[in-house]
Amino acid sequence: MTDFAASTTPADVVRRQYLASAAGDLEALRATLAPDVEWTEMAGFPLAGTYRTPGGVTSNVMEELGKERDGWTAHDDTYVLDGENVVVLARYTAANKATGKKIDVRVAHHFVVRGGLIVRFEQFVDTALVRDAMTA
C-alpha cells in the first residue's frame, strides 16, 4: 500500500492539493505545485488570469479568495483520470463578507500532473453565478 502523503500518482497529488486548500495550509498546497506551474482561473471569474509559480498561485488566488469571502472551499467529489490528466467535478461554497450572500456552485477542474507535481490547472465554472453571489 502506497503512503498517501508521499504518493506521486496524479489523483493523490490533486487530492492533497484540495485537502491543503480546505485546511488553509498554503505551504502544503505549494508543495503540490511544480516550480513552473501554470494555473488558470476562467475568464469572467473574479480572479481571472493565468498565474505562475507556487507562490504566485497562492498569493494571487488562494489568499485573495479569503479576503472578501468567508469559508471559501472547493469540495472535490468526482475524479476522472486519464494518465497525467485529472478532471475533478467539485463545488465551491463561501459567503461574501460584506453582503453575507452565499455561493454554492458546481465547477470542473482540469489538472495535469507530471513527476508528482501539478504543472497545469484550468478552471471551468459558471462565472455569472459566482459574480452574482460575490457582489453587493
Side-chain angles (χ1 to χ4, degrees):
M1 187 164 161
T2 305
D3 177 19
F4 174 73
S7 172
T8 60
T9 66
D12 287 348
V13 172
V14 169
R15 179 69 179 136
R16 283 197 307 272
Q17 180 274 150
Y18 280 103
L19 292 170
S21 179
D25 186 344
L26 298 183
E27 183 177 337
L29 193 149
R30 284 189 290 270
T32 67
L33 304 176
D36 60 346
V37 64
E38 289 186 5
W39 186 280
T40 302
E41 298 287 321
M42 192 168 178
F45 189 72
L47 303 173
T50 298
Y51 305 95
R52 291 173 176 80
T53 78
V57 170
T58 55
S59 65
N60 290 297
V61 179
M62 285 66 181
E63 291 177 19
E64 290 299 316
L65 286 169
K67 286 183 179 177
E68 297 179 9
R69 300 153 193 91
D70 280 324
W72 183 273
T73 305
H75 308 271
D76 55 324
D77 57 57
T78 302
Y79 283 60
V80 180
L81 310 171
D82 181 21
E84 64 186 14
N85 293 284
V86 180
V87 174
V88 180
L89 304 179
R91 178 172 300 285
Y92 289 151
T93 59
N96 183 300
K97 288 181 180 180
T99 67
K101 282 185 179 179
K102 295 191 183 313
I103 182 172
D104 186 342
V105 63
R106 291 292 285 165
V107 303
H109 294 153
H110 174 223
F111 295 87
V112 177
V113 180
R114 286 190 196 119
L117 295 171
I118 297 166
V119 297
R120 207 167 320 147
F121 165 87
E122 188 175 5
Q123 170 203 60
F124 299 90
V125 63
D126 184 335
T127 56
L129 286 177
V130 174
R131 274 195 321 275
D132 290 351
M134 295 293 110
T135 57

